[in-house]
Amino acid sequence: MKKFFSTLLLLAISLQIFAQNASPSIEQSVYASGKIYVVVACAAIILLGLILFLFSIDRRLKKLEKYSDPKN
Amino acid sequence: MYKNWWKILGALLVMYATIAGFLHSVPKLPILHESIRNLYFHVPMWFSMIILFAISVFHSIKYLLTNNATHDLKAVESVNVGVVFGVLGIVTGAVWAKFTWGQAWSFDVKQNFAAIALLLYFAYLVLRNAIDEEQKRAKISAIYNIFAFPMMVVLLFVLPRLSDSLHPGNGGNPGFNSYDLDSRMRMVFYPACLGWILIGYWIYTLKFRVRALDKYTTL
C-alpha cells in the first residue's frame, strides 16, 4: 500500500512537470488570433512613417522647383 | 539604369521580406505567437538607423579632413533619415511590447536607452540649428557627431546587457538567434535587413540631392 501511494505521489509530481511543458499549446488556444495584428500594425506604422517622410521631401523639392523656375 | 541596380535590389528585397514575412512559416513560441514576424519589420529599422549614422560619422570625419561643405551636408542628411528610422523602430517596438510585455513603455532599460540614443541625435540636429556661422556649425556638429556615434552604440548594445531587460539579447535573456532564429527565419530576416538598409540609403541620397540643389542653386 505504501509503495502504491508513493508511486501515485511521484506520478502526481511528474504530472505537474508535464503541465508546464504543455502550457504553450493551452495558451495558443486562448490567443487564437495568434497576435498577427501586432505585425500588421507595425508594418502599417512603418509604411505610414515613410510615406509622410516622402511627403516632407516632396514639399522641399517643390519649393526648390518654384525658385528655379525660369518664368519667375 | 546600370547605376540603379541597388535600388531595384533594395525594393525587391523589401517586397520579398514583407510578403514572406507574413506568409513564411515561423517557429511556434509561447507569448510571442505570430508576433515573432515583427522581427522582419522592427529590427531592420534599427539596423538601417545604425548604418545611416555610421555613414554620417564617415562624412563628418571626411569633413574635418577636407573642409568640404558637401561632406557636412551628407552627414546631416544621413542623420535626418537615420532619426526617422529610429523613431519607426521605437514606435514599432512599443506596439510589440504592448502585446508581449503587457505595456507599451515599461521603462525597460533597452527602451529607455534607445530613447536616449535618439535624443542624442535630436540634440545634434538642434545644435546645428543653434549655430549661424556655416563653417563653425559644420565643424562643431562634426565633432559632436563623432562622439555621439560610439555613445549610441554603447547605449543600444552595451548598457542594456548589464542590467535586467525583457528585450531579447539583453540582461541574461538570450537573443533571438540563440534558439528561435532558425534557418527558416534567417531566410527572411537577412534579406529584410539588407533591403531596408538599401531603402534607407536610397532615401538618404534623395535627401542629400535635394539639399545640395537647395544650397548650390538659390544662394
Side-chain angles (χ1 to χ4, degrees):
Chain A
M1 202 60 183
K2 203 175 160 191
K3 232 179 204 168
F4 175 74
F5 272 119
S6 59
T7 314
L8 209 67
L9 189 72
L10 283 173
L11 258 177
I13 289 166
S14 67
L15 266 180
Q16 221 172 9
I17 295 163
F18 284 136
Q20 274 192 336
N21 280 341
S23 67
S25 64
I26 294 165
E27 244 181 85
Q28 260 167 5
S29 62
V30 175
Y31 296 107
S33 71
K35 300 188 182 181
I36 188 70
Y37 294 108
V38 181
V39 188
V40 175
C42 285
I45 286 167
I46 289 169
L47 281 178
L48 191 71
L50 289 180
I51 286 166
L52 289 178
F53 190 47
L54 283 178
F55 270 112
S56 83
I57 298 173
D58 187 81
R59 205 172 51 221
R60 183 151 193 177
L61 195 59
K62 207 169 271 173
K63 214 161 65 185
L64 265 176
E65 281 170 339
K66 216 168 72 187
Y67 278 125
S68 58
D69 193 356
K71 273 175 282 187
N72 284 347
Chain B
M1 194 65 182
Y2 67 97
K3 271 182 181 169
N4 289 335
W5 64 270
W6 57 272
K7 297 171 191 169
I8 297 164
L9 177 70
L12 287 176
L13 285 176
V14 165
M15 287 261 297
Y16 160 73
T18 309
I19 295 168
F22 275 103
L23 299 179
H24 208 250
S25 64
V26 290
K28 287 186 171 35
L29 298 167
I31 305 168
L32 285 163
H33 304 297
E34 296 288 341
S35 80
I36 183 69
R37 294 177 194 277
N38 249 350
L39 188 80
Y40 311 134
F41 300 99
H42 165 76
V43 182
M45 294 294 117
W46 291 106
F47 285 173
S48 309
M49 183 195 81
I50 289 160
I51 297 291
L52 285 164
F53 287 169
I55 291 167
S56 177
V57 170
F58 173 76
H59 286 295
S60 283
I61 293 168
K62 286 281 265 189
Y63 174 78
L64 291 177
L65 291 175
T66 61
N67 269 331
N68 182 352
T70 308
H71 289 300
D72 182 50
L73 290 187
K74 283 183 176 173
V76 65
E77 287 306 346
S78 55
V79 166
N80 268 333
V81 182
V83 158
V84 169
F85 275 89
V87 168
L88 289 174
I90 216 161
V91 172
T92 54
V95 171
W96 199 1
K98 169 83 184 148
F99 295 99
T100 49
W101 300 353
Q103 259 180 310
W105 198 273
S106 52
F107 294 96
D108 190 86
V109 277
K110 188 79 166 183
Q111 288 185 316
N112 284 345
F113 286 141
I116 293 168
L118 276 182
L119 286 179
L120 267 178
Y121 279 92
F122 283 132
Y124 168 80
L125 297 172
V126 173
L127 176 77
R128 289 188 62 89
N129 288 335
I131 305 169
D132 285 330
E133 202 207 319
E134 207 167 298
Q135 290 204 326
K136 207 173 177 182
R137 174 175 64 204
K139 194 168 266 178
I140 290 173
S141 57
I143 293 164
Y144 178 93
N145 194 18
I146 291 166
F147 280 102
F149 185 72
M151 285 277 286
M152 185 271 295
V153 172
V154 167
L155 283 166
L156 286 183
F157 296 110
V158 181
L159 291 179
R161 275 167 214 264
L162 300 179
S163 99
D164 286 330
S165 171
L166 291 163
H167 196 282
N170 297 116
N173 280 345
F176 274 127
N177 47 355
S178 61
Y179 61 97
D180 342 293
L181 188 61
D182 59 9
S183 54
R184 288 176 295 172
M185 293 194 75
R186 271 175 231 275
M187 266 171 55
V188 184
F189 179 61
Y190 294 145
C193 289
L194 184 63
W196 281 110
I197 287 168
L198 287 174
I199 295 292
Y201 185 77
W202 185 5
I203 298 175
Y204 145 67
T205 58
L206 291 179
K207 284 280 281 177
F208 166 70
R209 280 152 68 188
V210 172
R211 180 79 166 239
L213 212 62
D214 195 1
K215 188 179 164 74
Y216 298 122
T217 55
T218 55
L219 274 182

